Each structure stands twice: as C-alpha cells, then as structure tokens.
Amino acid sequence: MSTVPSLDAVRDGAAVVSLPMTVRFRGITEREVMLIRGPQGWGEFGPFPEYADGEASAWLASAIESAWRPWPRPLRPVVPVNATVPAVPAARVPEVLAAFPGAGTAKVKVAERGQTLADDLARVAAVRERVPVVRVDANGGWSVAEAERALRALSADGPLEYAEQPCGTVGELVELRARGTGVPIAADESIRKVDDPLRVVRAGGADIAVVKAAPLGGIRRLLAVAGQVGVPVVVSSAIDSAVGIGAGLAAAAALPELAHACGLGTGGLLAEDVAPPRTLVADGAGGLGLPTGRTEPDADRLRALAAPAERRRWWFDRLARCHALLEDAAGGGVVMGRT
C-alpha cells in the first residue's frame, strides 16, 4: 500500500480474540489474532507472537488492505481445499478427517520435533486409506539427507502430490531436487519469510509455490508474486480465523489458474471461531471446496472469545509498532479511514 490509515482509525473497533484449537498445531493450542474493522469490512492481523515487528508489519498491511480496499473480482465462486492433518498419532487420523468428509486431498504434517519417521509413515498410511491425494509438510524440519530418505520412504506405497518445505534453506531445496526423489518440492517459508519471494524458484529449488496473503502483505501482493513466480501456486492459511480465511479465498478465487487444492480448510482446527464456519461443498473436481465472500464476525462470539486484558494490551502495543513501520515505508502515509 502506498498509504495507510491513521493509527486511531485502525484501532477503532479492533478486537483481540483467543481461539481454542481442536488439536495442538504448530506447537499451540490457542490461536490469538487481532481483527480490524474498516470501511470495506474486516481484516485480520495475526502474526505469531515470536515474529519480529518487521515481519509482522506485512501482516498488518494485509489486514488494512482487506479492511480498507475492495477485493479483486473473483474468477471462481468455490475454491478447492485440502484437509489438514496435524502431527497426531495415526489412530487419531479418522477423528481429524471427520471434519473434511469427502476430501480429495490431504496435507499431512511430518518431521515434527520429538517424533520419528516411523510416526510419519504411520500417519501418512492412515490418511492414504481415506483420501486419494496426499501431500506432506515438513516446515523445514529435515536436512537434505533426512529429506531424501523420508520422501523415498513416504512415497514407496503411493505417490505424494508434493512435499512442502522439506528443508529450511534455498540451497538445501535445490540440492534435494537434484537428488531426484520423484516427489515435487513446494516452497513455503522460502517464499513468505524472505525479502525476495521469487528467489527459490529462480534458483531451481521448487516445483510449486505455497503463498499466503498475510505474510506477503495482502491479496494484491500475493497475486503479483503468483503472476511472476513461474510455477503453479497453492494459496494457504496460517491458522487464520474465519476473517483471514475469507481473504485467502479471495486471493485464490482471483488467480487466473488454480491447479491444486488450497490449504484454506484449516477452520476445522479451531474449536471456536468468530463466525459460523463456511460450509464445505463439492468443488466440481471430486473434492471439497469453500465458497468465497467476506466474513462478518459475530458480536457475541467476539465478546465470548476476547483475549485476556494483558494479551489485548500486548497486541495493541504491537499494532502501534507495526503501524509506525508501515507509515515509515509509505513515506509518512496519507491519513484515511474513520478518525
């Protein structure tokens, strides 16, 4: 954005919520986010607590874009989505997949700290029994040698659609692809957590780009990256609330091409949300999809799910710091919105 609304306008009507999760995912059992209201609707500011302000400010830019600017015109009314299976024991896979009845694609978390390859193999096997297309996500948890061994083992009983961020660095991803495991490589952190989101593909480290609106700075930034990256893209979420999922769906719906199911079905990981869940529908290709459109948080849910006072203060302090960074980047900005 070249301009930002005033801090008072962004704070006006903002709410901080703590959303309980059905299972531990990414090491957390409660998802805290700040929801921001603007003239176009609601936006979500939800960088994880450990993220520094510089990285978190992109998430604020995304929230402001959603709340202050119209969304791009959708090219499809329904976005195909995958089921998401956290690093649970194999015995819990049916319970997790029950939230995605009829799913055609599942993303399975692997390389969880404290677990073994045997745990991953059992979890993936349990998913394969119920879902035809399986992809795995290691969140950069393997070395090149570990990734090669794991991917060969995980694909021995059937193909993997792709492996998401099997290693942490671009150089490792390039080396892993050169080893020819037969499993396509998708980049996530190597796109959203770097200054140049196109570098990993240009270096030969990825067959697929996983893109998320909030870390990239908004829907329009995501579409710009997708238009330049030169490989198929998968739009995903960062354990977003219903508000953030709406922005991800808007981005996916505006893409000219969408070859893979998107990782936007993570609402099933939340035990409570700020709005009723979108109804999963047939995506027209034998899988599940979510309809597009903005989400209006329910006032009663916002009150019931409000974060404790000290956490609200923490988020408003963070908002002020990140807003200052956006103003600096905009050259002082132009005040707009409700003041």
Side-chain angles (χ1 to χ4, degrees), residues 69-260:
R69 298 186 67 184
W71 281 347
R73 181 176 65 87
L75 302 180
R76 53 188 64 83
V78 173
V79 172
V81 299
N82 63 253
T84 299
V85 180
V88 297
R92 292 196 64 189
V93 165
E95 169 194 340
V96 173
L97 289 178
F100 305 92
T105 302
K107 180 171 83 169
V108 186
K109 289 291 183 178
V110 293
E112 182 83 352
R113 198 172 288 179
Q115 296 188 6
T116 66
L117 179 56
D119 296 320
D120 294 339
L121 288 166
R123 186 180 313 112
V124 169
V127 174
R128 283 193 194 280
E129 292 177 3
R130 295 163 177 84
V131 181
V133 178
V134 177
R135 56 181 68 157
V136 296
D137 182 5
N139 288 116
W142 289 320
S143 68
V144 173
E146 290 169 337
E148 181 180 11
R149 173 172 173 256
L151 295 184
R152 292 191 189 281
L154 289 165
S155 61
D157 293 331
L160 293 174
E161 184 185 23
Y162 61 73
E164 183 174 327
Q165 201 69 40
C167 305
T169 70
V170 170
E172 288 174 319
L173 295 180
V174 172
E175 181 180 348
L176 179 61
R177 282 189 78 225
R179 294 195 179 193
T181 65
V183 179
I185 303 302
D188 176 10
E189 286 87 347
S190 291
I191 291 175
R192 64 181 168 88
K193 295 179 76 70
V194 296
D195 292 334
D196 181 3
L198 306 179
R199 176 175 170 244
V200 62
V201 173
R202 289 172 175 164
D207 303 284
I208 294 163
V210 177
V211 289
K212 300 176 180 178
L216 287 173
I219 294 170
R220 288 166 178 81
R221 174 64 172 150
L222 182 154
L223 295 176
V225 170
Q228 299 174 62
V229 73
V231 296
V233 301
V234 174
V235 181
S236 192
S237 79
I239 323 180
D240 301 330
S241 80
V243 171
I245 291 294
L249 290 168
L255 285 168
E257 296 182 8
L258 194 61
H260 300 275

Side-chain angles (χ1 to χ4, degrees), residues 56-75:
S57 64
W59 298 60
L60 179 56
S62 177
I64 290 173
E65 179 196 56
S66 282
W68 264 262
R69 298 186 67 184
W71 281 347
R73 181 176 65 87
L75 302 180

Side-chain angles (χ1 to χ4, degrees), residues 3-14 34 36-37 45 60 64 68 315-327 332-339:
T3 61
V4 294
S6 69
L7 179 58
D8 285 343
V10 176
R11 285 190 299 211
D12 183 22
M34 172 180 275
I36 294 169
R37 185 178 59 199
F45 175 50
L60 179 56
I64 290 173
W68 264 262
W315 276 95
F316 277 95
D317 288 344
R318 187 187 209 187
L319 170 67
R321 297 194 305 270
C322 291
H323 184 273
L325 292 177
L326 292 185
E327 280 195 321
V334 175
V335 175
M336 64 182 193
R338 297 168 289 110
T339 55

